[in-house]
Amino acid sequence: SPRGSAMRKLYINDNNVVKLCNFGYPKLLMNRLTKEEKLQYSQNNPFYQSILVKEALAYIASVACLVSLGIIKNDKYFPQLNGILKECDDKSIEIALVRWMTSTGEMRNHQQLPCHTDSNKSNKEHPLELYSIHNRVDSQQGHGFLYFPLQNFCLRVASDKNVVVCNLSHSPHAHDKSRNTDTWSRVHGPRP
């Protein structure tokens, strides 16, 4: 991003208390796609459309699990999707899901960061995000890691295979160093 990032750093102060600081980072190796650019990219790349359809189904399944566990309430959770399905009633479900998934932009991160929380201004548009890891060209890495220090938990995410439905704006986390050399990540989410 040319203006740097709006993320917050996590640190331990002199009194040994974990704190968050809003002073931002210098410029990072990130590419942001607007929703228009994301739609255009999906129209030019059938493989990307396929990825978006699979991610949409994973997102819906995850929300269904959260509703069934009582973690979130099913108060018309998908009004945007319902509207798109009605508008696309003469088209395939795949076309409707791609349209839904391109209702917001996308962030592509190519650099490891210190422990941080995401300050995503679009959290109101999509409170849950889709997080995935991808191999860089000529890389055989196969996976990336996401570490959550407060829980002392490390999540292994298979490159080009797994998608994680999450909200990283409240959970301090750090990427592994493969982000600098072998992998990159995508973060995005549809408007519910």
Side-chain angles (χ1 to χ4, degrees), residues 131-133 142-146 155-160 162-164:
Y131 173 87
S132 56
I133 299 279
H143 60 271
F145 292 96
L146 199 55
L155 181 65
R156 181 179 183 207
V157 181
S159 297
D160 305 316
N162 295 143
V163 62
V164 179

Side-chain angles (χ1 to χ4, degrees), residues 109-122:
N109 180 1
H110 300 270
Q111 180 178 344
Q112 180 187 19
L113 300 171
C115 189
H116 65 281
T117 58
D118 296 348
S119 291
N120 186 348
K121 293 178 182 175
S122 61

